[in-house]
Amino acid sequence: PLPPLEYYIEKLSVGIDFYDEKKYPFNELGFDRIDDSKPHTIGNIVVATTEHNKDRWNKRITVEEFRKMMQSMKRAPSSQTVLPNNKID
């Protein structure tokens, strides 16, 4: 079963971005669609910053691919660049 609407409201109010798991101010967050061909509905959204939402859209990658990329960037040394395929340049 899908989580109730309250689940998403709580995630948004807590302010944790799905992709990098960092806390952001409420006004920087919104919902990113998991499947961009479908509408914003329960079960097809994650909480994300506007910047991450636009960045994922521009890269044309899936929610999971973008999340893996963001997670690998958290672990990579700052002098290295993490590429979309999760390889370090």
Side-chain angles (χ1 to χ4, degrees):
L2 297 174
L5 179 59
E6 291 77 21
Y7 167 84
Y8 295 99
I9 292 170
E10 189 229 333
K11 292 289 184 188
L12 190 60
S13 66
V14 170
I16 304 295
D17 179 272
F18 175 79
Y19 298 116
D20 66 8
E21 299 176 347
K22 292 181 183 176
K23 189 169 182 133
Y24 291 88
F26 179 79
N27 64 334
E28 292 182 24
L29 294 168
F31 295 117
D32 187 14
R33 291 177 291 165
I34 295 168
D35 182 341
D36 292 324
S37 69
K38 297 179 181 176
H40 289 82
T41 56
I42 292 176
N44 192 43
I45 54 175
V46 294
V47 174
T49 64
T50 303
E51 181 180 335
H52 289 160
N53 191 335
K54 289 178 183 177
D55 194 27
R56 184 181 78 83
W57 173 256
N58 290 334
K59 288 179 174 26
R60 302 280 194 247
I61 59 177
T62 68
V63 165
E64 284 306 317
E65 289 169 330
F66 191 73
R67 186 172 194 195
K68 285 179 186 174
M69 184 183 79
M70 295 299 293
Q71 295 297 315
S72 65
M73 288 173 70
K74 282 176 36 176
R75 292 187 295 272
S78 59
S79 63
Q80 297 177 327
T81 304
V82 178
L83 304 172
N85 60 4
N86 292 325
K87 293 184 180 177
I88 298 177
D89 187 24

